[in-house]
Amino acid sequence: MQLIKAVQQEHRVLALWEDGIAEEFPTIWLLHACTCERCGLSIKGVRQQRLTDYPPRPVIKGISVHGDTLHITWEDEHKSAYPGKWLRGHRLSESGRFERRPIPYVWGADLKLPDFVSYEVVANDLFANLQMLESIRDRGFALLCDIPTELSMTEEIPAIIGKRRETNYGIYELKAKAEPEITGDMAVELTPHTDEMYRIDPPGITLFHVVVQSPIGGESSLVDGLRLAERLGQENPDALRTLCKIPARFHRELDEGRHFDIQAPIFRQDANGIITGIRLNDRCMAPVDATPTDTERFYDALRPLLDIIYAKDETIQFKIDAGQMLIFNNHRLLHGRSSFDSASSRHVRIVHVDLDEFHSRLRVSLREAGREDEWMHLGPGATA
C-alpha cells in the first residue's frame, strides 16, 4: 500500500497511505529509527549514535514523500529516509500494534489432527517449511513422517526449525529403563505437563523422534495451555488471575551435582496482559513460597486447573509410529503419554530448539517468501 503524504504536527509526523490509513510517529522515534551512515544499523549492532545525543523532541526542518518513501531533513541538516512499507509495518497505534500480533488458534479435544507432512518436503521446500513453522506458531505443534530411524537423524532434524539447544540431558533417550532417571523412563502413564519448567527459560520447541514404537500403548497426548487459560477464565476468573500473579515453585536436583529452583507464575502474561505461555508439572512442583494467605489462594486456584487437565476433556490423543515426529511448543502445550508395554523396545529421542531460535527462523522464512508480516510481535512464551 503506497505512502502518499506526510504532515508535520508539532513533534510528530502524520503519515497517510492511499487506503486511508493515517498514523502518527513521534520525531524522537523517527530519529531513533534512522539508518543513515551517520546513525548506523541497530539491527546489525553497529549503531554509532547514542540516544542521549538526540534532543528529547527533535525538530524537523523539511519533510516530503517521494516514491513511497518519507524523507526528513532535521534541524541540524541530518537527512533520514523511511520506506512506506517499513513505516506501515511499524505502526504505533493500538490497531497497528495489534495487527503485528499473530492470533493463535486455540483448540480443545475436538481438534481435527493435522496431516503428517513428509520430512523431505519440509527440509527442501521453503513454502512447505514455512507452513510447518506457522503451524507450530499458530496451533502449537506439527507432525512429520518419512523420517529415517537412524539415530544420526535426530541431530539433523532440528535444523529445519532452528539451532539445536543443548540441555543437561543432551539428546535424551526415552525408553523403559531398569534404573530410571525420570518418570518418563518408566512404562507408566504420564499426565500432561511441560518439560524442564524448573529453568528460567524452559526448552522452547521440543522434537520427539520415534525410533521404535510399542505395539501396545504409548499414545501421545497434547493439551493447549491457552485453552486451559481460556476455560479457567470462563469458569473461575479469580483462579486465573491468581495463577498469573502468585508464582509457583519448581525444582530439580540432578545426579551430577546440579540444583535448579525457580519461582514463576503458571501462566505467563506479556506487557499487555495477554497470556503467552504456561509452565506446569506437578511432579516437579515444590511447596509454594508465599504468605499464608497467598499460599491458600494459590492452592485454591491450582485445584480447578488440575481438575480440568486430569479430566482429559481438553486433551487430544494419537499415536506416533516409528519414522514419525511430533514437534511442539513446550511453552504453550502440555504433553503426556499413555502407559505402554515395558517389555517392548519403545524408543523416543528428544531434542530441543530455543523459542527465540524458532522465532528467528520464522522471521527469516517469512522474508524469503516475500511475506509482509516478518515484523510481527512474537510473545515471550513462559520465560520467567
Side-chain angles (χ1 to χ4, degrees):
M1 199 58 62
Q2 191 87 358
L3 178 68
I4 58 173
K5 188 178 181 181
V7 180
Q8 181 180 354
Q9 297 180 333
E10 293 292 329
H11 298 294
R12 295 183 182 181
V13 170
L14 180 66
L16 297 98
W17 281 266
E18 60 184 351
D19 62 351
I21 292 292
E23 193 76 21
E24 283 188 322
F25 297 96
T27 55
I28 183 62
W29 184 91
L30 287 165
L31 194 50
H32 184 200
C34 181
T35 58
C36 73
E37 185 176 353
R38 166 180 157 180
C39 291
L41 296 171
S42 61
I43 199 167
K44 296 293 186 181
V46 291
R47 190 168 181 83
Q48 286 82 40
Q49 292 290 103
R50 296 178 178 178
L51 290 176
T52 51
D53 293 338
Y54 300 140
R57 300 290 184 270
V59 176
I60 292 175
K61 182 178 180 180
I63 186 170
S64 62
V65 172
H66 299 291
D68 194 37
T69 299
L70 169 65
H71 296 271
I72 292 178
T73 301
W74 301 96
E75 187 178 33
D76 62 355
E77 301 299 333
H78 174 202
K79 298 182 185 299
S80 303
Y82 309 90
K85 178 182 176 181
W86 183 88
L87 286 172
R88 179 74 174 233
H90 290 81
R91 293 165 55 207
L92 301 179
S93 62
E94 288 294 330
S95 60
R97 293 169 63 238
F98 179 80
E99 287 180 5
R100 290 198 297 277
R101 181 180 297 278
I103 305 300
Y105 180 80
V106 180
W107 51 266
D110 58 349
L111 175 72
K112 182 181 182 297
L113 199 67
D115 294 332
F116 282 81
V117 181
S118 171
Y119 165 69
E120 287 298 324
V121 173
V122 298
N124 295 290
D125 182 89
L126 169 64
F127 293 97
N129 183 269
L130 179 55
Q131 191 173 33
M132 175 197 65
L133 296 174
E134 290 184 306
S135 176
I136 298 170
R137 179 196 66 188
D138 298 338
R139 190 187 289 113
F141 72 103
L143 300 168
L144 299 186
C145 60
D146 303 329
I147 301 172
T149 55
E150 287 83 5
L151 300 187
S152 60
M153 285 302 300
T154 312
E155 299 181 33
E156 296 180 22
I157 295 170
I160 64 174
I161 303 292
K163 184 178 180 181
R164 180 163 68 93
R165 169 175 173 165
E166 292 288 347
T167 73
N168 50 282
Y169 294 115
I171 296 178
Y172 196 79
E173 312 289 350
L174 193 63
K175 57 176 73 174
K177 299 173 183 174
E179 297 183 4
E181 294 181 63
I182 59 175
T183 310
D185 293 336
M186 304 165 69
V188 300
E189 176 187 4
L190 297 180
T191 55
H193 61 282
T194 61
D195 278 345
E196 299 190 47
M197 77 311 303
Y198 47 81
R199 293 180 179 273
I200 293 173
D201 181 17
I205 307 301
T206 298
L207 300 88
F208 283 177
H209 179 202
V210 180
V211 179
V212 179
Q213 182 57 280
S214 171
I216 302 173
E219 290 87 1
S220 295
S221 58
L222 292 176
V223 184
D224 189 352
L226 298 184
R227 171 57 186 157
L228 294 176
E230 183 180 80
R231 181 169 160 186
L232 189 63
Q234 294 167 351
E235 298 178 1
N236 194 330
D238 286 341
L240 178 61
R241 283 191 289 269
T242 296
L243 296 181
C244 288
K245 181 180 179 182
I246 300 176
R249 182 176 162 226
F250 301 97
H251 59 176
R252 172 65 65 83
E253 188 168 339
L254 302 174
D255 291 340
E256 61 266 31
R258 301 167 77 187
H259 186 169
F260 297 90
D261 197 312
I262 180 70
Q263 295 187 56
I266 286 175
F267 290 109
R268 168 72 149 89
Q269 293 177 301
D270 66 10
N272 298 306
I274 296 173
I275 291 175
T276 61
I278 183 173
R279 64 169 72 216
L280 181 60
N281 186 337
D282 55 356
R283 295 192 303 275
C284 300
M285 183 181 289
V288 67
D289 182 2
T291 65
T293 298
D294 280 351
T295 293
E296 292 173 340
R297 288 178 57 211
F298 174 83
Y299 286 109
D300 287 346
L302 180 61
R303 183 178 298 274
L305 173 62
L306 293 178
D307 284 343
I308 295 172
I309 295 171
Y310 296 155
K312 298 184 180 180
D313 54 0
E314 298 294 349
T315 302
I316 60 171
Q317 193 168 45
F318 52 94
K319 195 158 189 172
I320 312 171
D321 293 323
Q324 296 180 336
M325 173 174 278
L326 166 64
I327 305 174
F328 65 93
N329 183 348
N330 183 56
H331 285 221
R332 171 179 169 180
L333 302 189
L334 287 73
H335 66 282
R337 182 199 67 206
S338 66
S339 61
F340 63 93
D341 181 5
S342 60
S344 72
S345 301
R346 186 179 191 273
H347 184 189
V348 179
R349 307 192 85 211
I350 304 175
V351 288
H352 306 283
V353 172
D354 275 329
L355 197 60
D356 54 359
E357 290 288 345
F358 165 69
H359 288 167
S360 169
R361 173 57 57 85
L362 177 58
R363 291 189 185 98
V364 170
S365 295
L366 286 167
R367 183 171 67 240
E368 291 176 348
R371 294 271 294 275
E372 295 186 5
D373 48 356
E374 63 173 287
W375 298 306
M376 63 189 164
H377 172 75
L378 296 168
T383 306

